[in-house]
Amino acid sequence: MAVNIVDLGVVPYADAVKKQKEFFEKRIEDRIEDTVLLLEHPPVVTLGKSASRNNIRDYSFFASRGIEIVNTDRGGGITYHAPGQLIVYPVIKLDPPMRDVSAFIDLLEEMTAGALQDIGVSAGRRQGRRGVWVSEKKIAFIGIKLRRWVTFHGIAVNINNDIFPFEMIDPCGEADIKVTSARVLKGDELDMGEVKKVFSKHFSNSFKKGLVDVIEIA
Amino acid sequence: MRLPEVSSRGGGAVITEWYASLNENIKKGQDLVEVSSDKATFDIASPCDGVLVGILKERGDNVLAGVTIAEIRE
């Protein structure tokens, strides 16, 4: 069974949610196959269901730059998105034995760590901590929603984005989290097109769905 | 209506939102409640047509799988 990979480019957060919901509803009704959306967001702060506005350290930093702070229906806490951060939104119907939220998140983390390793970043998972890490620093952030065992939202991976704005929040609601990016670690900007190809391959392998059809959308 | 098993890790889930109100007529498959567990939110649908006559767990409650969270009169 194929997984369709759809590259949406840079999409404002609200528009991306709307687009994602279209795929999500179609997948619930079996009108499309499993689909993975790859995209980037213009700068935005998002709050998951377990986030608190107290996790924002400096409102003025975001307000002065016109950066929106948006409540979302995903799980998890607060995070920051910006161009250069790869967003992976899998719209996947989980069949048994994958009908297990924790197992699905484990797999997302493994896929992300594997893809990052392929681009030369020694990322991995940490016992008892969600997300993907490089040593003590977090490089990828997870928050998902499920309905009828179809997944919505996903994972955000710092590739080329400026990570300074993370200093203005407590990422995931934890004040002690330090953040990094592939660009910081490698000392140079990465080709996002190549990064997306690597993630597409790993996602396909992780879910053992076989051939990946890559559909480019302008 | 009992909380289904959404994660093999146990620990239950937190009620994050009731979509339906007490004494509301509901349909089978209608989303009634959202729970949160392990970086995920999960919408739980009504198993039958009926009237929601009891909301036994409130927003913010941590509930283990198998615990009754709502009563529906068919």
Side-chain angles (χ1 to χ4, degrees):
Chain A
M1 189 176 174
V3 177
N4 293 317
I5 308 285
V6 181
D7 185 353
L8 295 173
V10 179
V11 187
Y13 190 78
D15 294 345
V17 168
K18 191 176 168 190
K19 192 78 186 166
Q20 198 184 169
K21 273 188 176 156
E22 292 172 12
F23 283 95
F24 183 60
E25 297 297 340
K26 285 179 183 171
R27 186 65 192 99
I28 287 172
E29 294 166 6
D30 283 325
R31 288 193 284 144
I32 59 168
E33 296 196 320
D34 288 341
T35 302
V36 177
L37 307 176
L38 302 179
L39 59 150
E40 299 165 59
H41 293 308
V44 63
V45 174
T46 60
L47 290 89
K49 284 284 182 160
S50 58
S52 160
R53 294 254 163 181
N54 294 333
N55 300 140
I56 301 166
R57 292 184 191 170
D58 186 350
Y59 272 96
S60 65
F61 175 86
F62 298 109
S64 64
R65 289 162 177 78
I67 297 172
E68 274 191 289
I69 296 168
V70 180
N71 289 310
T72 79
D73 58 357
R74 63 168 170 77
I78 186 172
T79 195
Y80 172 74
H81 307 292
Q85 181 192 60
L86 177 62
I87 305 290
V88 184
Y89 287 150
V91 184
I92 301 284
K93 182 169 276 188
L94 301 179
D95 296 318
M98 278 303 296
R99 289 193 168 176
D100 178 335
V101 167
S102 300
F104 176 70
I105 294 173
D106 288 348
L107 204 51
L108 269 185
E109 290 176 346
E110 284 169 16
M111 180 274 293
T112 302
L116 284 167
Q117 288 162 16
D118 265 11
I119 60 172
V121 174
S122 55
R125 300 173 62 209
R126 285 178 72 184
Q127 184 77 27
R129 307 287 294 269
R130 279 305 188 188
V132 179
W133 304 75
V134 180
S135 298
E136 304 292 306
K137 293 182 177 176
K138 198 166 192 176
I139 193 167
F141 307 81
I142 287 184
I144 65 168
K145 180 178 182 70
L146 295 102
R147 185 192 297 156
R148 313 284 188 277
W149 290 107
V150 175
T151 65
F152 189 66
H153 298 289
I155 190 160
V157 191
N158 290 341
I159 303 295
N160 291 326
N161 52 302
D162 177 14
I163 58 171
F164 179 72
F166 283 96
E167 299 283 327
M168 304 299 150
I169 60 174
D170 293 330
C172 309
E174 297 178 58
D176 64 333
I177 287 181
K178 300 293 181 196
V179 170
T180 191
S181 71
R183 187 182 68 177
V184 166
L185 293 163
K186 292 179 71 74
D188 202 2
E189 192 148 312
L190 285 82
D191 180 330
M192 285 299 278
E194 291 302 315
V195 170
K196 286 174 182 175
K197 281 181 188 170
V198 171
F199 271 78
S200 299
K201 185 191 81 177
H202 275 267
F203 196 93
S204 174
N205 289 342
S206 291
F207 283 86
K208 295 182 172 52
K209 296 278 187 175
L211 184 68
V212 173
D213 301 321
V214 178
I215 304 168
E216 298 284 351
I217 294 180
Chain B
M1 185 173 90
R2 297 173 191 276
L3 182 72
E5 185 87 62
V6 296
S7 166
S8 60
R9 302 279 161 81
V14 175
I15 306 282
T16 44
E17 192 168 347
W18 279 100
Y19 298 130
S21 305
L22 207 56
N23 298 318
E24 184 177 326
N25 288 310
I26 52 177
K27 294 282 185 191
K28 181 180 180 179
Q30 176 184 340
D31 290 323
L32 293 189
V33 61
E34 178 194 71
V35 299
S36 177
S37 173
D38 194 7
K39 295 280 186 182
T41 56
F42 199 104
D43 287 344
I44 298 169
S46 174
C48 58
D49 292 347
V51 179
L52 183 63
V53 293
I55 291 178
L56 307 183
K57 297 293 176 185
E58 300 294 332
R59 185 174 182 162
D61 286 349
N62 192 36
V63 183
L64 294 175
V67 169
T68 303
I69 57 173
E71 292 176 339
I72 301 163
R73 187 190 301 137
E74 291 186 64

